[in-house]
Each structure stands twice: as structure tokens, then as C-alpha cells.
Amino acid sequence: MRRAIAHADERLDQPLTAGDLARAAGVSVTHLNRLLGSVRGCAAMAWVRRRLLERAAHLLRCSTLPASRIAADLGFVDIQHLS
């Protein structure tokens, strides 16, 4: 599971799928979702969305980048989608 988490953290600015994370961890998507559910409390893609929002919140607090740029850099369609 650490490999899946590291893979996601390194690529949060790119489109990710549960299959990508499962391949990085060397397990099936079902098994990855089960593992993440027991450890993180949610399935793989819900966890990725949570990490994206955490990263966006950090950047909004700690950088001078405009919110629209942060949204675009993290793969959100627009600022409203991030909101």
C-alpha cells in the first residue's frame, strides 16, 4: 500500500486511476480498495480526491499562486470545480 500512496503523491498533478495505483502496489483494484478502506477509511479514488484537496488547501494557504492556477495545476476543470 505504501507504493500505491507514494505513486499517487508523486503524480497528483496527473490523471490517476485506481488501476494505476493497484499496479504500482502490485495488487488488484479490489484488494487495494479493501486495504485503503481499512487503513484510510475510503476507496482508492476517494482517497486520491482527498489528497488533491489537501494539496490544494496547502497551496492556497502557503503559496502566492492564484486559486485558478492551483486548480489547473491539480487537474480540476476550473476554480468552481475545486470549490
Side-chain angles (χ1 to χ4, degrees):
M1 191 173 74
R2 282 189 294 245
R3 288 184 293 195
I5 290 170
H7 182 80
D9 283 341
E10 292 168 2
R11 293 167 179 82
L12 276 179
D13 60 337
Q14 303 169 17
L16 289 170
T17 67
D20 296 334
L21 300 179
R23 278 188 294 283
V27 298
S28 71
V29 171
T30 302
H31 190 64
L32 177 67
N33 282 329
R34 192 175 305 124
L35 288 171
L36 280 170
S38 67
V39 174
R40 303 282 187 210
C42 58
M45 293 315 296
W47 177 81
V48 168
R49 281 187 298 276
R50 185 185 305 166
R51 291 290 296 137
L52 278 170
L53 291 173
E54 289 169 356
R55 171 100 32 108
H58 172 76
L59 290 171
L60 287 167
R61 283 190 311 271
C62 300
S63 78
T64 59
L65 293 172
S68 58
R69 172 72 187 271
I70 292 170
D73 287 352
L74 292 176
F76 291 94
V77 175
D78 54 32
I79 188 65
Q80 288 79 19
H81 190 199
L82 173 59
S83 295

